[in-house]
Amino acid sequence: MGSPSPADQVSRRAQALAGHLRGLHTSMEPSLSPSPCLQYSPPELASPPSDFNLSDMRKLMDGHNLQDRDWLFGLMIQSKLFNPRVAGGRVFVSPDYNQSMEQQREMTMKRIHYLLDCGVFQEWLTGRGPEVEMRKFALHEVIGMYDHSLAVKLGVHYFLWGGAIQFFGTKRHHDKWLRDSENYVIKGCFAMTELGHGSNVRGIETVTTYDSKTGEFVINSPCESAQKYWIGGAANHATHTIVFSQLNINGKSEGVHAFIAQIRDTDGNICPNVRVADCGHKIGLNGVDNGRIWFDNVRIPRENLLNSVADVSPDGQYLSAIKDPDQRFAAFLAPLTSGRVTIATSAVYSSKMSLAIAIRYSLTRRAFSITPNQPEVLLLDYPSHQRRLLPLLAKTYAMSFAANYLKMIYVKRTPESNKTIHVVSSAFKAILTWHNMRTLQECREACGGQGLKTENRIGQMKGEYDVQSTFEGDNNVLMQQVSKALLAEYIAVQKRNRPFKGLGLEHMNKSCPVVPSQLTSSTLRSSQFQTDIFCLRERDLLIRFAAEMSQLQAQGLSREYALLQSYQLAEDLGRAFSDRAILQTFLDAEAAVSSGPLKSMLSLLRSMHVLIILEEDASFLRYGYLSPDNAAGIRKEVTILCSELRPHALALVSSFGIPDAFLSPIAFNWIDANSWSSVQPQQGATVPLQI
Amino acid sequence: MAPLGSTRGDTDQVLIDKNLFVRTLVLNRPRQLNALSSQMISKLLELFLAYEEDSNVKLVIMKGNGRAFCSGGDVAAVVHDINRGNWKIGAKFFWEEYILNYVMATYSKPQVSILNGIVMGGGAGASVHGRFRIATENSVFAMPETALGLFPDVGASYFLSRFPGFFGEYVGLTGARLDGAEMLACGLATHFVPSARLSSLEAALHKLDSSDPAIISAVIDEYSLQPYLKDKSTYHRLDIINRCFSRRTIEEILSALEREAVKSADDWISSTIQSLQKASPTSLKISLRSIREGRVQGVGQCLIREYRMVCHVMRGEVSKDFVEGCRAILFDKDKNPKWEPSRLDQLNDSMIDQYFSRVDDEEWEDLKLPARSSYTASALAKL
């Protein structure tokens, strides 16, 4: 059989076209008006009014300091320094990421000075108590929604530099440094990481010795791998740094200690015996001047040792209240906890921004008609699009509660709760930041080509937030610490024959929960089932992990080596712990709400959050907590939940309380924002107030 | 002007002129400086809604009879109702007024307001939300509510918060008066037209058969000029205003102003401090919070919040300053209100919170915004 000749093809095509035209001609004859162009219709028009109160939902999500947050949003929206641009008749604020690295760094510093003058950082270092700390968290979250660089630069100064002085220092340090730091008279940085050592802080190579003749410490970078690396603020602005270093006293290494060293004078000149270089352009956070530091016999006064856990007497004797070097080291890492808390919460706000933009866009952008001559279908009316965005929305709600819980236990910390805070902050930091990166990628793709424009924020945020899975503890390392801590708890309980207490493991004291073999929709949506299956997984994985460890150790492997071998179970267990702990924070938040539409909405979101984990995490099938039939049933239930959440999508992102100006043009009238007239020079001096 | 089809009489508080596709609504209570009575508000609402449906109407012009555009809502009537124990009549008044503001803010056809005289309070609400606002050399704008024990309402938390920098906080808290040039500078007015040219401008507008904002703007542009800000204009002090009025609380704003006063002896600073000290402390606190919330909200949400607030103000649970302010300024005219609480430090957060909460009354409900067939995207409430 030969293919038709080109001539045949041409004539057939011509016939077909003629037919089309004839048909078109007759059907179009009555109206010769041009076919209507696409019109932007705001998502509010098509969405039914929400049956829950948006302000109440926002209050629940933000949790605290709402007025302070709004004040700070206003400070940024109203200032030219925050780069307001008009698109589609609205003002949007976000940094100009097209500026050079150096320009972005200068803008970050200018914005800091503006906020400082407005009084935003009042009490950030001189104030004490949970209220001050919660306010600081709230304001820092809002700053991060504007620009991650701005938040990170401030975080380094206030949380790391300032935190180190607060936590490792004693009164003499507090009196000398805190007020000037709060007012940015001193610009601090935090030199812990080295080229050769990141997560393994105990392995750092910087060495400090003591010269009792002059009463000074002498800091040295003995080799290239000992150079301090990624030090935020070091490249351009910082005047002082915390230096983490091995302390060598009388030839004996006493382990890692923290010192204060000046690296620049007040005119910005690098101090003698200090060398500084730039870390260069990065995939994001170019508004932060990350630098490298070498110390060449830098001499600092003896008083600059942050001596809350250990001190050196004027004659050079090492003194420490904490004899155990492990515990001493643990005490040094305490300030990193506050960093992890802020990272976890800012990851949630980043997810909120991207979801608010992508979902608003999906409620106004259409693609393809499913029946001829009918309007094209809204993106979010595609079940597949719902499946991409709505589970992430539900998870973001869950993580919002988790972040609020984390902040709460952090500000109410006691010496006894330190372990819990360490484990929970490690787990939540990893899970929330991974969730954010996944959400950003999905939202970017869900916005199609528009997602690639920097002005639409999401794509840029991928680069800006990627660092979160690495700094203040690599996510994978943190998750290993979580499972290690759980194992230690398990072994302690077994050894001392006492019940589990703390870390939410009390459910292990009860009998093993039984998951029904037939899972109906109402079972799947019940908090009992959801709690049970998460507890079941955590319990089983912890027992399996402990069993595998003891088996490997029985075969003669060291504990450390056995841990390396058991990484698969360790990872599954870390997830299981985190999912169960996050669900608990959701249930607690829900319990505090009185019955009504708000509570029903929370319960719907919780079910979506849990079921999507059951669907996506292979461990439920792998270890047999769910049968294949049940897994299929859950998958189906997820699609039903998607369709139930769909009408509330707009209300759910509006409840995030993000000002319009912090979203992006595609979240609003993207046709106007892209119109020809929008690229023409504006005529006349008069502009309407409509903002 | 040729009035057509209007049942015109001395009692008509809103006059209507019809010119082809243009309707001109004239606020007509000159002896009360065109203060909005509930009758006027009902009439305006009815007309606006009808014109929106009427394809023969392309443009609505609003102006005032006499030396005022509109001096505000008729709060004297409201205070009489409150004094007779009828705050709910007042609530109905504000409900209708705010609905009118919302309809204007979301109106599908252009509204041109000619602000040739006094524009205060409710008068701002009846004009600023529309598409075009024309100031003249006779314009005097102010939101004087904090001196009356009230707060800038009629959607002012939406528009004041959108002035450049923190000029809106300054205008809303101090009740400062702005002239036409200042109104144009801060965005309150979209055009400045000398009053001598108004009649020819109106004649030109009457000929329009289009709702296209660009066409209307071009017509007004022909009569507009760029006025100069006076040397003494407060708008030149935007730097100080931003420094002080950006502070987090009223107390911090006051101490920032006092710090400025120490730096330089300046009448403007001391008179600004004075007007804050003369205003109702409660009014100042709820006004600042309202403007700050308004900055991140849509106009609809602003009006819903303001309605809650005004109901609490009328009920006087925390403070009866509204009644006292009207007594001192409008009735007894002794200009010496006795505010209660009398000092800022007597007002704690929970007292302020109350103004923003739902009203504890079975019959009371939140302001219900009408569904609008054609939102302007910019006016949409999000939260």
Side-chain angles (χ1 to χ4, degrees), chain A residues 42 44-45 67-68 71 74-75 78 90 117 122 135 360 654 657-660 685-686 688-691, chain B residues 131 133 158-159 161-163 165-166 187 190 226 246-248 289 292 295-296 375 377-378 380 382-383:
Chain A
E44 282 82 359
L45 269 188
Q67 285 178 60
D68 294 319
W71 168 60
L75 287 179
Q78 296 304 101
R90 293 176 165 275
D117 290 343
Q122 261 171 30
R135 177 164 173 266
R360 289 184 65 87
S654 299
I658 307 166
D660 296 354
T686 55
L689 180 71
Q690 312 268 338
I691 299 178
Chain B
R131 185 68 178 77
R133 292 88 59 183
Y158 181 79
F159 63 77
S161 60
R162 280 156 179 80
F163 286 2
F166 296 83
T190 57
Q226 184 66 43
S246 61
R247 310 304 294 199
R248 200 163 59 96
R289 177 156 160 197
R292 295 278 160 88
R295 185 163 280 137
V296 293
Y375 283 90
S378 52
L380 277 172
K382 261 194 56 217
L383 242 184

Short mmCIF file of all heavy atoms in Angstrom, two decimals, chain A residues 42 44-45 67-68 71 74-75 78 90 117 122 135 360 654 657-660 685-686 688-691, chain B residues 131 133 158-159 161-163 165-166 187 190 226 246-248 289 292 295-296 375 377-378 380 382-383:
data_model
loop_
_atom_site.label_atom_id
_atom_site.label_comp_id
_atom_site.label_asym_id
_atom_site.label_seq_id
_atom_site.Cartn_x
_atom_site.Cartn_y
_atom_site.Cartn_z
N PRO A 42 -11.56 38.04 38.20
CA PRO A 42 -10.91 37.77 39.49
C PRO A 42 -11.45 36.49 40.12
O PRO A 42 -12.65 36.19 39.99
CB PRO A 42 -11.26 38.97 40.35
CG PRO A 42 -12.03 39.90 39.50
CD PRO A 42 -12.29 39.29 38.18
N GLU A 44 -12.20 35.84 43.00
CA GLU A 44 -13.24 36.10 44.00
C GLU A 44 -14.64 35.99 43.39
O GLU A 44 -15.59 35.62 44.06
CB GLU A 44 -13.06 37.50 44.60
CG GLU A 44 -11.97 37.61 45.64
CD GLU A 44 -10.58 37.77 45.03
OE1 GLU A 44 -10.46 37.76 43.78
OE2 GLU A 44 -9.61 37.89 45.81
N LEU A 45 -14.75 36.35 42.09
CA LEU A 45 -16.07 36.34 41.46
C LEU A 45 -16.61 34.93 41.34
O LEU A 45 -17.82 34.71 41.49
CB LEU A 45 -15.97 36.95 40.06
CG LEU A 45 -16.20 38.43 39.94
CD1 LEU A 45 -16.25 38.84 38.48
CD2 LEU A 45 -17.50 38.82 40.64
N GLN A 67 -0.81 42.10 64.73
CA GLN A 67 -0.69 43.55 64.49
C GLN A 67 0.74 43.93 64.17
O GLN A 67 0.99 44.79 63.33
CB GLN A 67 -1.15 44.32 65.71
CG GLN A 67 -2.66 44.33 65.87
CD GLN A 67 -3.01 45.07 67.14
OE1 GLN A 67 -2.69 46.24 67.29
NE2 GLN A 67 -3.66 44.39 68.05
N ASP A 68 1.68 43.29 64.86
CA ASP A 68 3.08 43.58 64.57
C ASP A 68 3.43 43.17 63.15
O ASP A 68 4.17 43.86 62.45
CB ASP A 68 4.00 42.85 65.56
CG ASP A 68 3.82 43.37 66.98
OD1 ASP A 68 3.70 44.60 67.13
OD2 ASP A 68 3.79 42.57 67.93
N TRP A 71 1.98 45.73 60.76
CA TRP A 71 2.76 46.97 60.84
C TRP A 71 4.01 46.84 59.96
O TRP A 71 4.32 47.72 59.15
CB TRP A 71 3.15 47.22 62.30
CG TRP A 71 4.19 48.27 62.49
CD1 TRP A 71 4.10 49.59 62.12
CD2 TRP A 71 5.48 48.11 63.10
NE1 TRP A 71 5.26 50.25 62.47
CE2 TRP A 71 6.12 49.37 63.07
CE3 TRP A 71 6.15 47.03 63.68
CZ2 TRP A 71 7.39 49.57 63.60
CZ3 TRP A 71 7.41 47.23 64.21
CH2 TRP A 71 8.02 48.50 64.16
N GLY A 74 3.36 46.85 56.33
CA GLY A 74 3.13 48.24 55.93
C GLY A 74 4.43 49.01 55.78
O GLY A 74 4.60 49.78 54.84
N LEU A 75 5.36 48.81 56.72
CA LEU A 75 6.64 49.53 56.64
C LEU A 75 7.34 49.23 55.31
O LEU A 75 7.96 50.10 54.71
CB LEU A 75 7.57 49.10 57.79
CG LEU A 75 7.24 49.60 59.19
CD1 LEU A 75 8.26 49.05 60.19
CD2 LEU A 75 7.24 51.12 59.24
N GLN A 78 5.30 50.64 52.12
CA GLN A 78 5.27 52.10 51.99
C GLN A 78 6.62 52.72 51.67
O GLN A 78 6.71 53.93 51.52
CB GLN A 78 4.73 52.74 53.29
CG GLN A 78 3.30 52.40 53.64
CD GLN A 78 2.30 52.73 52.56
OE1 GLN A 78 1.85 51.86 51.82
NE2 GLN A 78 1.95 53.99 52.43
N ARG A 90 -1.53 47.51 40.20
CA ARG A 90 -1.26 47.20 41.60
C ARG A 90 0.21 47.39 41.89
O ARG A 90 1.04 47.29 40.99
CB ARG A 90 -1.53 45.73 41.91
CG ARG A 90 -2.93 45.37 41.83
CD ARG A 90 -3.09 43.89 42.05
NE ARG A 90 -4.48 43.68 42.31
CZ ARG A 90 -5.04 43.80 43.50
NH1 ARG A 90 -4.30 44.06 44.55
NH2 ARG A 90 -6.33 43.63 43.65
N ASP A 117 15.82 51.89 61.90
CA ASP A 117 15.34 53.23 62.25
C ASP A 117 13.86 53.23 62.61
O ASP A 117 13.40 54.05 63.39
CB ASP A 117 15.57 54.20 61.08
CG ASP A 117 17.06 54.49 60.89
OD1 ASP A 117 17.83 54.21 61.81
OD2 ASP A 117 17.43 54.97 59.80
N GLN A 122 13.87 46.60 67.98
CA GLN A 122 13.89 46.94 69.40
C GLN A 122 13.69 45.69 70.25
O GLN A 122 12.76 44.92 70.00
CB GLN A 122 12.77 47.93 69.70
CG GLN A 122 13.25 49.36 69.76
CD GLN A 122 12.09 50.34 69.85
OE1 GLN A 122 11.04 50.02 70.39
NE2 GLN A 122 12.28 51.51 69.29
N ARG A 135 7.56 37.83 69.33
CA ARG A 135 7.45 39.01 68.48
C ARG A 135 8.59 39.03 67.47
O ARG A 135 8.41 39.31 66.29
CB ARG A 135 7.47 40.26 69.36
CG ARG A 135 7.44 41.55 68.58
CD ARG A 135 7.08 42.74 69.45
NE ARG A 135 7.25 43.95 68.66
CZ ARG A 135 8.37 44.67 68.65
NH1 ARG A 135 9.39 44.33 69.41
NH2 ARG A 135 8.45 45.74 67.89
N ARG A 360 -4.11 31.13 43.08
CA ARG A 360 -4.86 32.26 42.51
C ARG A 360 -4.75 32.23 40.98
O ARG A 360 -5.72 32.49 40.27
CB ARG A 360 -4.36 33.60 43.07
CG ARG A 360 -4.74 33.83 44.52
CD ARG A 360 -4.31 35.22 45.00
NE ARG A 360 -5.01 36.27 44.28
CZ ARG A 360 -6.20 36.76 44.64
NH1 ARG A 360 -6.78 36.32 45.74
NH2 ARG A 360 -6.77 37.71 43.93
N SER A 654 -6.26 32.75 50.89
CA SER A 654 -6.48 34.10 51.42
C SER A 654 -6.24 34.13 52.93
O SER A 654 -5.79 35.13 53.48
CB SER A 654 -7.91 34.57 51.13
OG SER A 654 -8.13 34.61 49.74
N GLY A 657 -3.12 35.37 54.90
CA GLY A 657 -2.89 36.74 55.36
C GLY A 657 -1.72 37.43 54.69
O GLY A 657 -1.11 38.32 55.27
N ILE A 658 -1.37 37.02 53.49
CA ILE A 658 -0.27 37.66 52.78
C ILE A 658 -0.81 38.87 52.03
O ILE A 658 -1.74 38.73 51.24
CB ILE A 658 0.39 36.68 51.78
CG1 ILE A 658 0.78 35.38 52.48
CG2 ILE A 658 1.60 37.33 51.11
CD1 ILE A 658 1.11 34.26 51.53
N PRO A 659 -0.26 40.06 52.27
CA PRO A 659 -0.76 41.24 51.54
C PRO A 659 -0.59 41.03 50.03
O PRO A 659 0.39 40.42 49.60
CB PRO A 659 0.13 42.37 52.03
CG PRO A 659 0.77 41.89 53.27
CD PRO A 659 0.84 40.40 53.19
N ASP A 660 -1.53 41.58 49.28
CA ASP A 660 -1.46 41.47 47.82
C ASP A 660 -0.10 41.87 47.28
O ASP A 660 0.43 41.26 46.37
CB ASP A 660 -2.53 42.36 47.17
CG ASP A 660 -3.93 41.90 47.52
OD1 ASP A 660 -4.07 40.85 48.17
OD2 ASP A 660 -4.90 42.61 47.16
N ALA A 685 0.66 63.42 34.73
CA ALA A 685 1.23 63.29 36.06
C ALA A 685 0.24 62.69 37.05
O ALA A 685 0.56 62.43 38.18
CB ALA A 685 1.66 64.66 36.57
N THR A 686 -0.98 62.48 36.57
CA THR A 686 -2.01 62.10 37.52
C THR A 686 -2.20 60.59 37.55
O THR A 686 -2.37 59.97 36.52
CB THR A 686 -3.35 62.75 37.14
OG1 THR A 686 -3.64 62.40 35.79
CG2 THR A 686 -3.27 64.24 37.27
N PRO A 688 -4.35 57.47 39.56
CA PRO A 688 -5.43 57.21 40.50
C PRO A 688 -4.90 56.56 41.78
O PRO A 688 -3.81 56.01 41.79
CB PRO A 688 -6.35 56.26 39.75
CG PRO A 688 -5.46 55.58 38.76
CD PRO A 688 -4.38 56.56 38.42
N LEU A 689 -5.69 56.65 42.79
CA LEU A 689 -5.29 56.09 44.07
C LEU A 689 -5.34 54.57 44.06
O LEU A 689 -4.69 53.92 44.85
CB LEU A 689 -6.22 56.64 45.16
CG LEU A 689 -5.97 56.18 46.58
CD1 LEU A 689 -4.71 56.80 47.10
CD2 LEU A 689 -7.14 56.56 47.45
N GLN A 690 -6.11 54.02 43.14
CA GLN A 690 -6.34 52.57 43.10
C GLN A 690 -5.01 51.83 43.16
O GLN A 690 -4.24 51.86 42.22
CB GLN A 690 -7.04 52.20 41.80
CG GLN A 690 -8.23 53.08 41.48
CD GLN A 690 -9.53 52.54 42.01
OE1 GLN A 690 -9.65 51.36 42.27
NE2 GLN A 690 -10.52 53.38 42.19
N ILE A 691 -4.78 51.21 44.28
CA ILE A 691 -3.52 50.51 44.42
C ILE A 691 -3.80 49.04 44.67
O ILE A 691 -4.63 48.73 45.47
CB ILE A 691 -2.69 51.09 45.57
CG1 ILE A 691 -2.38 52.54 45.27
CG2 ILE A 691 -1.42 50.32 45.75
CD1 ILE A 691 -1.62 53.26 46.33
N ARG B 131 -13.52 56.70 40.41
CA ARG B 131 -12.37 56.64 39.52
C ARG B 131 -11.62 57.97 39.42
O ARG B 131 -10.40 58.00 39.42
CB ARG B 131 -12.85 56.18 38.14
CG ARG B 131 -11.77 55.94 37.12
CD ARG B 131 -10.93 54.73 37.49
NE ARG B 131 -9.91 54.45 36.49
CZ ARG B 131 -8.78 55.13 36.34
NH1 ARG B 131 -8.54 56.15 37.15
NH2 ARG B 131 -7.91 54.84 35.41
N ARG B 133 -11.16 62.05 40.79
CA ARG B 133 -11.44 63.06 41.82
C ARG B 133 -10.75 64.35 41.39
O ARG B 133 -9.53 64.38 41.25
CB ARG B 133 -10.90 62.61 43.18
CG ARG B 133 -11.62 61.42 43.80
CD ARG B 133 -11.09 60.07 43.38
NE ARG B 133 -9.69 59.87 43.71
CZ ARG B 133 -9.01 58.81 43.39
NH1 ARG B 133 -9.56 57.82 42.70
NH2 ARG B 133 -7.74 58.69 43.73
N TYR B 158 -8.74 52.11 54.12
CA TYR B 158 -8.24 51.63 52.83
C TYR B 158 -7.46 52.74 52.11
O TYR B 158 -6.33 52.55 51.72
CB TYR B 158 -9.40 51.15 51.97
CG TYR B 158 -8.98 50.62 50.61
CD1 TYR B 158 -8.45 49.34 50.48
CD2 TYR B 158 -9.07 51.41 49.47
CE1 TYR B 158 -8.04 48.85 49.25
CE2 TYR B 158 -8.67 50.93 48.23
CZ TYR B 158 -8.15 49.65 48.13
OH TYR B 158 -7.75 49.17 46.92
N PHE B 159 -8.08 53.93 51.98
CA PHE B 159 -7.40 54.92 51.13
C PHE B 159 -6.29 55.69 51.87
O PHE B 159 -5.26 55.97 51.29
CB PHE B 159 -8.37 55.83 50.39
CG PHE B 159 -9.27 56.73 51.20
CD1 PHE B 159 -8.79 57.89 51.79
CD2 PHE B 159 -10.63 56.44 51.34
CE1 PHE B 159 -9.63 58.74 52.50
CE2 PHE B 159 -11.47 57.28 52.06
CZ PHE B 159 -10.97 58.43 52.65
N SER B 161 -4.32 54.50 54.08
CA SER B 161 -3.14 53.63 54.19
C SER B 161 -2.41 53.51 52.86
O SER B 161 -1.30 52.99 52.81
CB SER B 161 -3.55 52.24 54.69
OG SER B 161 -4.47 51.64 53.79
N ARG B 162 -3.04 53.96 51.79
CA ARG B 162 -2.40 53.89 50.48
C ARG B 162 -1.80 55.21 50.02
O ARG B 162 -1.30 55.32 48.91
CB ARG B 162 -3.39 53.32 49.46
CG ARG B 162 -3.46 51.80 49.59
CD ARG B 162 -4.74 51.20 49.09
NE ARG B 162 -4.73 49.75 49.22
CZ ARG B 162 -4.97 49.07 50.35
NH1 ARG B 162 -5.21 49.72 51.47
NH2 ARG B 162 -4.93 47.75 50.38
N PHE B 163 -1.82 56.20 50.89
CA PHE B 163 -1.06 57.42 50.60
C PHE B 163 0.43 57.08 50.62
O PHE B 163 0.83 56.09 51.22
CB PHE B 163 -1.32 58.48 51.69
CG PHE B 163 -2.67 59.15 51.62
CD1 PHE B 163 -3.62 58.78 50.67
CD2 PHE B 163 -3.00 60.16 52.52
CE1 PHE B 163 -4.86 59.41 50.63
CE2 PHE B 163 -4.24 60.78 52.48
CZ PHE B 163 -5.17 60.41 51.54
N GLY B 165 4.13 56.70 51.73
CA GLY B 165 4.76 56.60 53.04
C GLY B 165 3.73 56.51 54.15
O GLY B 165 2.81 55.71 54.08
N PHE B 166 3.89 57.36 55.16
CA PHE B 166 2.99 57.31 56.31
C PHE B 166 2.19 58.61 56.44
O PHE B 166 1.74 58.96 57.52
CB PHE B 166 3.80 56.97 57.57
CG PHE B 166 4.38 55.59 57.44
CD1 PHE B 166 5.57 55.39 56.76
CD2 PHE B 166 3.67 54.49 57.89
CE1 PHE B 166 6.06 54.11 56.55
CE2 PHE B 166 4.16 53.21 57.69
CZ PHE B 166 5.35 53.02 57.03
N GLY B 187 -2.41 61.65 46.04
CA GLY B 187 -3.22 60.67 45.32
C GLY B 187 -4.70 60.71 45.65
O GLY B 187 -5.49 59.96 45.09
N THR B 190 -7.23 62.95 41.49
CA THR B 190 -6.55 62.48 40.28
C THR B 190 -6.22 63.65 39.35
O THR B 190 -5.38 63.53 38.48
CB THR B 190 -7.43 61.49 39.50
OG1 THR B 190 -8.68 62.13 39.19
CG2 THR B 190 -7.69 60.24 40.33
N GLN B 226 -0.95 71.59 36.67
CA GLN B 226 -0.15 71.03 37.75
C GLN B 226 0.04 72.13 38.78
O GLN B 226 0.77 73.08 38.55
CB GLN B 226 1.19 70.54 37.19
CG GLN B 226 2.08 69.84 38.20
CD GLN B 226 1.49 68.53 38.69
OE1 GLN B 226 0.96 67.75 37.91
NE2 GLN B 226 1.53 68.30 39.99
N SER B 246 5.57 56.28 61.12
CA SER B 246 5.77 54.86 60.83
C SER B 246 5.91 54.04 62.11
O SER B 246 5.93 52.82 62.06
CB SER B 246 7.02 54.66 59.98
OG SER B 246 8.16 55.12 60.69
N ARG B 247 6.01 54.71 63.26
CA ARG B 247 6.26 53.97 64.50
C ARG B 247 5.08 53.07 64.82
O ARG B 247 3.98 53.25 64.34
CB ARG B 247 6.52 54.93 65.68
CG ARG B 247 7.55 55.99 65.42
CD ARG B 247 8.89 55.49 64.97
NE ARG B 247 9.59 54.72 65.98
CZ ARG B 247 10.90 54.48 65.97
NH1 ARG B 247 11.66 54.97 65.00
NH2 ARG B 247 11.45 53.76 66.91
N ARG B 248 5.38 52.10 65.69
CA ARG B 248 4.43 51.01 65.90
C ARG B 248 3.18 51.44 66.67
O ARG B 248 2.10 50.95 66.41
CB ARG B 248 5.15 49.90 66.69
CG ARG B 248 4.52 48.55 66.59
CD ARG B 248 5.52 47.50 67.03
NE ARG B 248 5.95 47.74 68.39
CZ ARG B 248 5.42 47.15 69.46
NH1 ARG B 248 4.45 46.28 69.31
NH2 ARG B 248 5.87 47.41 70.66
N ARG B 289 -4.68 51.48 64.52
CA ARG B 289 -4.76 50.05 64.24
C ARG B 289 -5.58 49.79 62.99
O ARG B 289 -5.26 48.93 62.17
CB ARG B 289 -5.37 49.32 65.44
CG ARG B 289 -5.54 47.86 65.16
CD ARG B 289 -5.56 47.03 66.42
NE ARG B 289 -6.19 45.76 66.15
CZ ARG B 289 -6.65 44.95 67.10
NH1 ARG B 289 -6.54 45.29 68.36
NH2 ARG B 289 -7.20 43.81 66.78
N ARG B 292 -3.52 50.56 59.92
CA ARG B 292 -2.48 49.54 59.73
C ARG B 292 -3.07 48.26 59.18
O ARG B 292 -2.49 47.61 58.32
CB ARG B 292 -1.78 49.28 61.08
CG ARG B 292 -1.00 50.48 61.60
CD ARG B 292 0.37 50.57 60.94
NE ARG B 292 0.96 51.90 61.04
CZ ARG B 292 1.71 52.34 62.05
NH1 ARG B 292 1.92 51.55 63.09
NH2 ARG B 292 2.24 53.53 62.03
N ARG B 295 -4.09 48.65 55.48
CA ARG B 295 -3.01 48.66 54.51
C ARG B 295 -2.84 47.30 53.83
O ARG B 295 -2.41 47.22 52.70
CB ARG B 295 -1.72 49.11 55.19
CG ARG B 295 -0.55 49.28 54.27
CD ARG B 295 0.54 50.11 54.92
NE ARG B 295 0.25 51.53 54.85
CZ ARG B 295 0.42 52.39 55.84
NH1 ARG B 295 0.89 51.98 56.99
NH2 ARG B 295 0.13 53.66 55.68
N VAL B 296 -3.14 46.24 54.53
CA VAL B 296 -2.95 44.91 53.93
C VAL B 296 -4.29 44.25 53.61
O VAL B 296 -4.36 43.05 53.43
CB VAL B 296 -2.10 44.00 54.85
CG1 VAL B 296 -0.68 44.54 54.94
CG2 VAL B 296 -2.70 43.89 56.23
N TYR B 375 -16.61 43.53 39.54
CA TYR B 375 -15.60 44.07 40.43
C TYR B 375 -14.56 44.79 39.61
O TYR B 375 -14.22 44.37 38.52
CB TYR B 375 -14.86 42.95 41.13
CG TYR B 375 -15.56 42.29 42.25
CD1 TYR B 375 -16.37 41.19 42.02
CD2 TYR B 375 -15.38 42.73 43.55
CE1 TYR B 375 -16.98 40.54 43.07
CE2 TYR B 375 -15.99 42.09 44.59
CZ TYR B 375 -16.79 41.00 44.35
OH TYR B 375 -17.38 40.36 45.39
N ALA B 377 -10.81 44.86 39.76
CA ALA B 377 -9.91 43.94 40.46
C ALA B 377 -9.20 44.63 41.60
O ALA B 377 -8.95 44.05 42.65
CB ALA B 377 -8.90 43.36 39.49
N SER B 378 -8.89 45.91 41.41
CA SER B 378 -8.10 46.60 42.42
C SER B 378 -8.86 46.80 43.72
O SER B 378 -8.27 46.99 44.76
CB SER B 378 -7.66 47.95 41.88
OG SER B 378 -8.78 48.64 41.40
N LEU B 380 -10.89 44.64 45.07
CA LEU B 380 -11.34 43.39 45.67
C LEU B 380 -10.79 43.18 47.07
O LEU B 380 -9.62 43.40 47.32
CB LEU B 380 -10.88 42.24 44.80
CG LEU B 380 -11.84 42.00 43.65
CD1 LEU B 380 -11.25 40.99 42.70
CD2 LEU B 380 -13.15 41.49 44.20
N LYS B 382 -9.56 40.82 49.85
CA LYS B 382 -9.00 39.48 49.90
C LYS B 382 -9.13 38.86 51.27
O LYS B 382 -9.21 37.66 51.42
CB LYS B 382 -7.51 39.51 49.52
CG LYS B 382 -7.27 39.12 48.10
CD LYS B 382 -5.79 38.85 47.91
CE LYS B 382 -5.32 37.80 48.87
NZ LYS B 382 -3.96 38.10 49.34
N LEU B 383 -9.07 39.69 52.28
CA LEU B 383 -9.11 39.10 53.62
C LEU B 383 -10.30 39.67 54.36
O LEU B 383 -10.45 40.85 54.42
CB LEU B 383 -7.82 39.44 54.35
CG LEU B 383 -6.96 38.27 54.77
CD1 LEU B 383 -5.78 38.75 55.56
CD2 LEU B 383 -7.74 37.24 55.54
#
